[in-house]
């Protein structure tokens, strides 16, 4: 069970997190910046398609992205968040800025998805006093430069696990309950194709203390490298990756294509149930 604001998410079957991107330069071509109405409609379509939660992001964190100002991020985010308050699924906000975390929680967000794993000054304090869920993600380096030359000295899976366990220890020491935490190896965040494949193959080893794992692989360049497809043609690869992530232990799947992923996971789940 994941505590997620006013929600309790059962992680018995993999949960589908639908991506709603409020940035203008989304690599996957789904950016909805400056179009609040379209963003809200997109979120509702994903909820109707069976999303168990929504991830709203107003700052681009794709490789090579330049930072967004605080005012710009809040201006993109808050109208959408306000409109979705009271919707039937938890809303996660993808941000690493403590000010945005506080504003998001005040406007009804139930989860904070932080690619910096609460490492920015003030981030732990911004979420500590609430009961939101928190996704702690591994990233080597910074978005602007992380894909230039990722280096792991021994074993990427071990290093990711050590990092995540260190973050969990610090966050728990600050008084945040363990049932609020989700861990994420951060596919594509300072990792080569080989690193990403090793992490997917050994996903169960990238967590720690039995905390649930979130996997975000949807439309990512690792799928382009494998299939030779552009970002617009990575649906099949994304769905395959989501099923593999679930089979390797992921409890939350962060995806663009909710309906398709849901069907694929339902098939995997049916076969799993028949096995036991
Ligand atoms: C991830 C993510 C992105 C991910 C988590 C993209 C914000 C790039 N990827 N958050 N965010 N995990 N937790 O391709 O893998 O969507 S942005």
């Amino acid at each position: 069970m994941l505590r997620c604001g006013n929600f309790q998410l059962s992680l018995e079957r993999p949960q589908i997190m639908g991506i709603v991107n409020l940035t203008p330069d989304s690599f996957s071509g789904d950016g909805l910046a400056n179009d609040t109405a379209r963003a809200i409609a997109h979120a509702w379509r994903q909820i109707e398609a069976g999303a168990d939660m929504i991830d709203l992001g107003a700052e681009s964190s794709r490789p090579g992205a330049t930072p967004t100002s605080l005012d710009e991020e809040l201006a993109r985010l808050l109208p959408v968040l306000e409109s979705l308050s009271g919707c039937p699924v938890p809303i996660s906000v993808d941000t690493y800025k403590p000010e945005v975390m506080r504003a998001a929680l005040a406007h009804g967000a139930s989860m904070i998805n932080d690619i910096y794993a609460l490492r920015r000054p003030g981030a732990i304090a911004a979420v500590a006093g609430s009961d939101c869920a928190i996704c702690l993600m591994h990233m080597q380096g910074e978005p602007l430069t992380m894909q230039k030359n990722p280096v792991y000295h021994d074993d990427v899976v071990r290093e990711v696990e050590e990092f995540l366990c260190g973050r969990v220890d610090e966050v728990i020491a600050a008084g945040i309950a363990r049932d609020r935490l989700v861990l994420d190896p951060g596919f594509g965040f300072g990792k080569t194709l080989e690193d990403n494949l090793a992490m997917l193959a050994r996903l169960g080893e990238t967590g720690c203390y039995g905390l649930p794992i979130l996997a975000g692989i949807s439309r990512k360049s690792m799928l382009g490298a494998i299939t030779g497809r552009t970002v617009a043609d990575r649906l099949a690869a994304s769905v395959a990756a989501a099923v593999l992530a679930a089979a390797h232990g992921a409890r939350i799947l962060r995806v663009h294509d909710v309906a398709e992923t849901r069907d694929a996971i339902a098939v995997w789940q049916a076969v799993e149930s028949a096995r036991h």
Side-chain angles (χ1 to χ4, degrees), residues 19 27 55 61-62 94 113 115 135 137 184 186-187 189 214-218 220 254 256:
I19 301 168
F27 90 100
D55 190 38
S61 38
R62 73 182 161 78
D94 149 25
N113 174 24
I115 63 168
C135 181
M137 196 194 80
D184 182 343
F187 288 98
F189 284 84
L214 183 154
I217 312 178
S218 187
K220 281 188 178 171
R254 183 178 177 278
H256 298 87

Side-chain angles (χ1 to χ4, degrees), residues 155-268:
D155 175 359
V156 61
V157 179
R158 279 284 84 70
E159 282 187 44
V160 167
E161 180 197 18
E162 275 166 28
F163 170 85
L164 291 174
C165 288
R167 296 311 302 144
V168 170
D169 290 341
E170 185 173 337
V171 162
I172 287 180
I176 294 175
R178 161 188 306 260
D179 66 352
R180 295 172 56 193
L181 300 179
V182 176
L183 304 179
D184 182 343
F187 288 98
F189 284 84
K191 284 146 193 122
T192 64
L193 173 61
E194 290 68 32
D195 296 333
N196 288 315
L197 291 172
M199 287 204 306
L200 182 50
R202 295 162 59 199
L203 192 61
E205 295 174 43
T206 63
C208 54
Y209 310 131
L211 291 172
I213 294 174
L214 183 154
I217 312 178
S218 187
R219 298 186 190 172
K220 281 188 178 171
S221 65
M222 63 181 279
L223 302 177
I226 295 167
T227 62
R229 305 265 182 207
T230 62
V231 76
D233 289 318
R234 293 180 192 160
L235 172 59
S238 297
V239 170
V243 172
L244 281 164
H248 284 86
R251 302 324 284 167
I252 303 179
L253 305 164
R254 183 178 177 278
V255 304
H256 298 87
D257 302 289
V258 170
E260 293 85 349
T261 307
R262 218 188 143 88
D263 280 1
I265 291 296
V267 172
W268 171 75

Side-chain angles (χ1 to χ4, degrees), residues 7 39 42 47 77-78 95 97 111 138 151 156 173 195 208 261:
F7 296 84
H42 185 62
I47 294 167
L77 180 67
L78 295 185
T95 188
K97 295 192 185 79
M111 177 164 178
H138 175 271
V151 178
V156 61
D195 296 333
C208 54
T261 307

